[in-house]
Amino acid sequence: MFWITLLLLAVAYAPCSIGLSLPVNKKYRPLIALGLFFFAIAVQFVIFTGILPRIALLIVAWGSGVLVFSTPFFFLRDIVLLVMHLKKRRIPNQKYGIAAILILSGFLAAWGEISAVRPPKVKPVAITIPGLPDAFDGFRIVYITDTHISKTSLPNYLWTVVCRANAVHPDLILLGGDLGDLKPDEIKPNMHQLGDLHAKYGVYSSPGNHEYFRGLDEWIAFLDSVGIETLLNRHIVIEKDGAQLVIAGVPDDNKSSKWHAGRETPDLDKTLAGAPGGAPVVLLSHQPRFARDYAKYPVSLQLSGHTHGGMIAGLPALLVKTANKGFVSGKYQVGDMTLYVSNGAGLWNGFMFRLDVPPEITEIILRKPE
């Protein structure tokens, strides 16, 4: 909720700043600013719902992006104007400054939206695991998370993801949650394509927070219907040439969410009960912020998403990193455990922008230490 509130304030700041700068009677400016404020908030809520047709959503989201990207520029401008006012300096006409800010922000929003809607490419990542058996040296796991499929997704988007994942010919495919932003039946013409994912040792999933928002039981049943097994506080064992590799998954953890109320919470003792001793463990956990807790267990590799890589490089990514206890994108060493946080394969309707943080399908290649 904190991040949604922050986004809403960012969207609404620019309209307020513009409203207070308009060349109209001063007594009307606060009313105009307030009206623009509520209009911007209403538009953002419409975007959150994802009910608009795709083209309309992209256009409206671009307009929202203009406001978001213009917020820091208007904030700096307002500080300068405040200083000038306090020093009783003459305030210049604002129309050219406002126009320049909006044009620049429009370019950034367009660039960010184009970057976000592009289908993800496969990103190879080698991860060294101490004690990895020879049989699993070079073992390839395709990790897909945060596709956020909705009615506004391009019809061929998920099919492109599936084809690119299959083209790697992986040994295993793991799905890290936030697969869709609606109930599976509402987007089934797209979602059934997940059943075309193929790997030698199967396809497994663990849920993200968005599966809870739209009915966890329905998502689990749907995934099961297309041959994808969900791991909730349990593990499976892969055997190859006499060696073993443990694949485990935990539920999403968000105790403050009403959608999670009454649901099973992550329990690593339960998850790993009966796992073969000494076998490397790969853990699916949607949110990376619990990595330091999970590193206390015999987990070799944790795969997470949720952050979308911060979406925009720089201060926004730093804020997302801070909210996730220091983890936002890429590979981290947490004690004896390696954590990999994917940028995610898709985009969320509420913020449809990426700048220098491309989407990805991650090809995890397990390696023995040299």
Side-chain angles (χ1 to χ4, degrees):
M1 183 58 70
F2 170 78
W3 294 104
I4 291 179
T5 302
L6 187 63
L7 175 59
L8 292 175
L9 291 176
V11 167
Y13 185 89
C16 289
S17 183
I18 293 172
L20 293 172
S21 303
L22 292 175
V24 297
N25 192 307
K26 288 185 178 181
K27 67 179 181 181
Y28 297 126
R29 291 179 187 174
L31 292 176
I32 294 173
L34 187 63
L36 292 173
F37 172 87
F38 283 114
F39 177 76
I41 295 294
V43 167
Q44 194 61 40
F45 271 110
V46 170
I47 294 172
F48 285 161
T49 64
I51 60 175
L52 295 174
R54 180 177 175 81
I55 297 300
L57 179 65
L58 290 173
I59 294 172
V60 174
W62 172 81
S64 172
V66 172
L67 299 181
V68 171
F69 286 110
S70 67
T71 291
F73 298 115
F74 276 113
F75 183 72
L76 292 174
R77 184 204 70 144
D78 291 345
I79 291 176
V80 172
L81 292 179
L82 177 61
V83 171
M84 293 178 69
H85 175 74
L86 294 175
K87 291 188 175 183
K88 298 181 179 180
R89 300 283 180 86
R90 178 179 173 274
I91 304 296
N93 191 305
Q94 294 300 300
K95 63 181 180 181
Y96 297 113
I98 292 174
I101 290 174
L102 292 178
I103 290 171
L104 176 59
S105 301
F107 170 77
L108 291 174
W111 181 20
E113 194 167 73
I114 291 170
S115 299
V117 300
R118 288 174 177 167
K121 295 181 179 179
V122 175
K123 178 182 178 181
V125 178
I127 293 182
T128 300
I129 295 183
L132 184 72
D134 291 342
F136 288 100
D137 188 28
F139 192 83
R140 287 176 298 156
I141 302 172
V142 163
Y143 179 55
I144 304 170
T145 185
D146 298 284
T147 52
H148 287 281
I149 303 297
S150 69
K151 291 180 179 179
T152 56
S153 301
L154 281 174
N156 65 345
Y157 163 76
L158 186 57
W159 184 243
T160 301
V161 172
V162 169
C163 289
R164 290 182 178 179
N166 287 339
V168 175
H169 300 293
D171 296 296
L172 180 71
I173 295 178
L174 299 178
L175 306 179
D178 282 9
L179 301 176
D181 286 340
L182 296 169
K183 293 181 178 181
D185 284 345
E186 295 175 316
I187 45 179
K188 202 166 185 177
N190 280 337
M191 294 309 300
H192 80 279
Q193 294 168 351
L194 287 174
D196 292 306
L197 287 169
H198 297 294
K200 183 176 181 180
Y201 293 95
V203 184
Y204 297 89
S205 176
S206 71
N209 50 307
H210 281 247
E211 277 81 3
Y212 288 79
F213 298 161
R214 298 299 183 175
L216 180 62
D217 293 334
E218 292 170 86
W219 271 103
I220 292 175
F222 167 74
L223 291 172
D224 186 62
S225 73
V226 296
I228 299 174
E229 191 174 340
T230 301
L231 301 177
L232 286 176
N233 281 336
R234 65 189 188 89
H235 69 270
I236 57 105
V237 179
I238 295 175
E239 297 190 0
K240 183 181 180 185
D241 299 337
Q244 295 176 314
L245 178 69
V246 175
I247 307 297
V250 293
D252 183 59
D253 191 356
N254 194 342
K255 297 179 180 64
S256 62
S257 166
K258 66 179 182 181
W259 293 281
H260 289 65
R263 292 287 186 180
E264 191 174 8
T265 57
D267 184 342
L268 263 291
D269 291 315
K270 178 181 178 181
T271 301
L272 299 179
V281 176
V282 177
L283 175 68
L284 281 173
S285 174
H286 181 67
Q287 299 190 46
R289 60 195 176 104
F290 304 105
R292 292 184 180 87
D293 296 327
Y294 298 157
K296 298 174 184 177
Y297 291 83
V299 176
S300 304
L301 170 64
Q302 176 180 325
L303 297 177
S304 298
H306 185 64
T307 65
H308 296 207
M311 293 170 285
I312 299 176
L315 181 60
L318 180 61
L319 290 173
V320 174
K321 181 177 182 178
T322 302
N324 287 276
K325 297 188 177 180
F327 309 117
V328 65
S329 176
K331 189 162 51 173
Y332 301 86
Q333 193 63 37
V334 187
D336 294 331
M337 182 186 81
T338 299
L339 165 68
Y340 185 81
V341 185
S342 169
N343 287 349
L347 69 156
W348 171 52
N349 282 338
F351 193 76
M352 302 173 63
F353 307 97
R354 289 182 181 269
L355 287 176
D356 201 30
V357 184
E360 66 179 70
I361 300 165
T362 318
E363 179 191 8
I364 302 290
I365 305 165
L366 303 185
R367 290 295 184 192
K368 292 181 59 178
E370 294 183 1

